[in-house]
Amino acid sequence: MSRDLGRMLAEYRAGSRSLRWVDSWQYAAHLLGGGRTPADVVHTLQQAQALLPSDVLILRLTEWYPADMSGFDASGRPARKVQSWLKDGAHLAFVDAVLGGIALLLGTSTPLLLSVPSPRRWLSRVTTAALQDEDVERSAVYLADYLRRFAASGSAGLLIEETHWDDDALVLYQPIWNVARHYQWQIGVELLEPDSAAGLANIEACQFVLVPRASSSSLVGFWNNHSAVGGGLTRGVWEGALEEPRPDRFFAYGIVPREATPETVLHQFERV
């Protein structure tokens, strides 16, 4: 599947196709009541893909972690707490079962993206102190070890959930990039907080960048240059706002809000 995703991105960069990537997991889980068991998760993903067909399937691996750090290693440096969290056996067993179900029921027709928080975002869950480069680097090593578990998952790519673009931080994530390249995964970064792609530079460090809060108008320059920067399907769009004009070739991406109105979501999706 990595070749399929690579081909998809190459065709977009060549100006021969547009991309429509939609993360509808939270919306579908709320609408259908799925997610309690691995079988529920796979069924919900299958239904979501049928309702809102996306060019890729995004699986956010932290969806099935405990909500807090209770019961995890509370000693030592923050990076060791991250390591303890990543090694949680119940979570790993749940994700393994989900990936097995995806392979059986969904097959390889749609490229699968494994999505995880960046080392910095992991650390922000376990400490409020200023982050040290040493802890970021160590957390990157622990996250790389965690990702090796999914070598046979059939994943086409890796999506790192980041707060904002930071060239210096991306350098510290080198162990993660090494693992992704070893498994021939396409590498992407999702910027969760910016409401535009202004100031985005050096995006050659990865194969694609997603900015779910960015409007189409802020991305037109990237799309006209066939740069793989996705966005435009903001919360406002899913809630019924008028779509902004897009060029003939574009990279539409967005996260459907959990409690969005089904009729509005379907109407807006059909307009993309």
Side-chain angles (χ1 to χ4, degrees):
M1 284 198 292
S2 61
R3 288 191 297 272
D4 293 338
L5 180 56
R7 186 183 310 114
M8 181 190 300
L9 290 165
E11 290 172 354
Y12 165 76
R13 292 192 187 95
S16 60
R17 66 168 294 169
S18 294
L19 300 177
R20 181 174 64 175
W21 295 10
V22 176
D23 178 1
S24 59
W25 162 252
Q26 286 286 347
Y27 166 75
H30 177 72
L31 185 67
L32 304 172
R36 297 179 182 84
T37 68
D40 285 341
V41 172
V42 175
H43 176 71
T44 302
L45 289 170
Q46 190 177 34
Q47 293 295 101
Q49 187 66 5
L51 288 170
L52 305 172
S54 172
D55 292 336
V56 299
L57 181 65
I58 299 173
L59 188 66
R60 298 191 186 273
L61 298 182
T62 53
E63 284 288 332
W64 306 287
Y65 264 109
D68 58 44
M69 289 294 293
S70 300
F72 291 89
D73 182 6
S75 63
R77 296 188 65 90
R80 293 302 297 271
K81 298 178 185 179
V82 171
Q83 182 189 35
S84 177
W85 207 350
L86 289 169
K87 293 170 67 175
D88 178 58
H91 162 78
L92 293 171
F94 195 103
V95 171
D96 284 345
V98 169
L99 289 170
I102 289 175
L104 284 173
L105 293 182
L106 299 180
T108 60
S109 57
T110 304
L112 173 66
L113 289 181
L114 300 180
S115 182
V116 293
S118 71
R120 291 195 309 179
R121 288 182 68 84
W122 273 111
L123 286 165
S124 70
R125 297 183 177 204
V126 302
T127 182
T128 57
L131 300 184
Q132 303 297 316
D133 284 355
E134 180 183 354
D135 284 319
V136 175
E137 288 181 303
R138 286 183 178 272
S139 295
V141 170
Y142 299 144
L143 185 54
D145 287 340
Y146 167 82
L147 291 169
R148 288 188 181 93
R149 182 183 182 91
F150 308 115
S153 65
S155 173
L158 174 66
L159 181 62
I160 297 295
E161 304 157 14
E162 186 59 284
T163 303
H164 57 268
W165 189 268
D166 186 326
D167 289 329
D168 293 334
L170 295 180
V171 171
L172 299 177
Y173 300 168
Q174 193 60 49
I176 299 170
W177 309 143
N178 291 343
V179 167
R181 293 188 181 103
H182 178 71
Y183 297 133
Q184 298 183 326
W185 292 339
Q186 301 293 309
I187 301 170
V189 176
E190 182 177 27
L191 308 178
L192 294 170
E193 291 195 2
D195 55 10
S196 79
L200 188 59
N202 299 323
I203 60 174
E204 296 80 8
C206 52
Q207 277 75 58
F208 59 92
V209 178
L210 305 179
V211 194
R213 295 177 59 182
S215 65
S216 292
S217 60
S218 73
L219 299 174
V220 168
F222 292 100
W223 294 344
N224 285 336
N225 291 324
H226 308 303
S227 296
V229 180
L233 302 182
T234 62
R235 169 178 284 272
V237 170
W238 297 116
E239 293 175 347
L242 291 176
E243 272 275 29
E244 297 173 312
R246 290 188 295 266
D248 291 338
R249 294 289 180 262
F250 55 86
F251 187 168
Y253 169 71
I255 302 171
V256 184
R258 176 182 174 84
E259 297 184 357
T261 304
E263 294 79 8
T264 304
V265 169
L266 288 173
H267 175 72
Q268 296 295 76
F269 182 82
E270 290 169 355
R271 295 175 59 185
V272 178

